[in-house]
Amino acid sequence: MLREALLVARKDLRVEWRSKVTIGHVAPLALLVLVVFAFAFDANAGLLEFGAGGLYWVAVLFGGTLLIQRAFDVETEDGNFDAFRMSAIGAPSLFLGKSLGVFIQVVFLELILGPGVVLLYNVRIDDWVLLLASALGGTLAFSVCGVLCGVMAAGLRVRATLLPLLLVPVLAPVLLAGSRAFETAFGVRAEAGWTWASLMFVIAAVHTAVGVRAFGFLLEEG
């Protein structure tokens, strides 16, 4: 299963590397979201600093949704899902491979957005370990939830508008937990940041288990 998942992830990453969609389109748009918020709250620097964690995850949601949409558009338009159904690659491996591919792309996006938040919002990082742990947990949860929602919308003509409608409610707990954990890591909120970070790992684990069991059914229905 692991070998097959790595093959699927490598295929997705190779497609994205050749197309340069993440670097050329998604990352600049996500950075633009941060810039717009910076101008919108420029008159209140304290509010901007306090909300930096939440604004970061909003930008990740925006860019990540585009990445997920792209990951499934490629498969749907080229008829690759039909080929996967006839291949020896199992549905659990396909789910894990797609999730890994999305995870790596979102990590790359976050590496671009992170310095942007520090520079634009003038935040300081008090707890690097919490920051990295919560970013990892949030990215894992985002990836597996995104792939589950992506396969549900993949076979529909309105998938471009349906995917955000499916994704945002599912990811709402992840965005909330990520925002609270980041605010604690930035030193602007005295809360149990590790509790919020742990919640994101739990959400990722639950949705991974669901995806491994249900991805094949969802793929057939799509």
Side-chain angles (χ1 to χ4, degrees), residues 170-195:
V170 173
L171 286 177
V174 179
L175 298 177
L176 174 61
S179 300
R180 294 294 182 264
F182 267 44
E183 288 165 6
T184 304
F186 291 155
V188 297
R189 181 184 292 270
E191 282 193 6
W194 283 104
T195 301

Side-chain angles (χ1 to χ4, degrees), residues 56-86:
Y56 169 84
W57 284 105
V58 169
V60 171
L61 173 65
F62 178 76
T65 301
L66 296 178
L67 292 175
I68 294 168
Q69 184 72 58
R70 163 74 177 170
F72 283 91
D73 280 348
V74 171
E75 309 291 6
T76 303
E77 293 172 0
D78 295 341
N80 289 344
F81 279 138
D82 293 331
F84 277 124
R85 292 187 183 99
M86 293 183 290

Side-chain angles (χ1 to χ4, degrees), residues 5 8-9 12-13 68 71-72 91-107 139-149 204 207-209 211-212 215:
V8 173
D12 284 359
L13 293 174
I68 294 168
F72 283 91
S93 300
L94 181 57
F95 167 73
L96 294 175
K98 298 294 289 186
S99 298
L100 179 60
V102 171
F103 173 83
I104 293 174
Q105 293 178 62
V106 175
V107 167
T139 308
L140 285 171
F142 185 94
S143 302
V144 294
C145 293
V147 170
L148 278 175
C149 293
H207 282 84
T208 299
V212 168
F215 191 81

